[in-house]
């Protein structure tokens, strides 16, 4: 839930700053969603696709819900989710600090 909130906070900050951000983010989130193995197992894909899917941050968020049946160790799933959380939080804070005045003026 915290990762979703940070995704939302970061994307809303970008949407205030740049006009067409919502269209770009909609495309990116759709691409990430359909490349996340939520309705199929990762093991059913070829190895080259498995490595590509593991780069998707939503894969690791979904893996939290499937931690018991996931092929990755639980500690790795939790650690990667904490890294994603820290990266999103720092990106959101950096955007906020850099563009705070611009955001206030555009609101």
């Amino acid at each position: 839930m915290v990762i979703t909130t940070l995704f939302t906070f970061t994307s809303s900050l970008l949407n205030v700053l740049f006009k067409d951000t919502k269209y770009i983010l909609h495309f990116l989130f759709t691409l990430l969603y359909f490349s996340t193995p939520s309705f199929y197992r990762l093991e059913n894909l070829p190895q080259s696709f498995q490595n590509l899917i593991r780069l998707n941050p939503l894969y690791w968020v979904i893996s939290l819900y499937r931690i018991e049946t996931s092929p990755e160790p639980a500690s790795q799933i939790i650690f990667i989710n904490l890294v994603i959380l820290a990266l999103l939080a720092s990106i959101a804070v950096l955007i906020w600090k850099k563009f705070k005045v611009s955001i206030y003026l555009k609101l």
Side-chain angles (χ1 to χ4, degrees):
M1 191 159 97
V2 175
I3 291 177
T4 305
T5 304
L6 285 173
F7 266 128
T8 305
F9 183 67
T10 306
S11 63
S12 64
L13 284 175
L14 289 173
N15 197 26
V16 169
L17 292 172
F18 307 108
K19 224 177 195 181
D20 295 331
T21 307
K22 64 181 177 180
Y23 303 113
I24 296 168
L25 289 175
H26 177 71
F27 172 75
L28 288 176
F29 285 140
T30 303
L31 184 69
L32 286 175
Y33 173 75
F34 283 110
S35 67
T36 303
S38 51
F39 299 113
Y40 54 91
R41 300 206 41 93
L42 186 65
E43 297 82 24
N44 296 342
L45 297 174
Q47 186 64 34
S48 59
F49 286 123
Q50 289 181 19
N51 294 334
L52 188 64
I53 297 272
R54 283 189 178 99
L55 295 175
N56 183 352
L58 293 181
Y59 167 74
W60 297 103
V61 174
I62 296 290
S63 292
L64 271 177
Y65 294 102
R66 293 196 259 172
I67 204 162
E68 295 297 323
T69 61
S70 179
E72 282 83 13
S75 59
Q76 180 184 6
I77 294 171
I78 293 170
F79 176 74
I80 291 177
N81 273 288
L82 289 174
V83 169
I84 291 170
L85 179 71
L87 283 173
L88 282 174
S90 42
I91 289 170
V93 167
L94 287 173
I95 290 172
W96 176 252
K97 283 185 176 182
K98 184 169 183 168
F99 297 108
K100 187 185 339 182
V101 175
S102 300
I103 291 172
Y104 283 139
L105 292 176
K106 288 189 178 189
L107 293 176

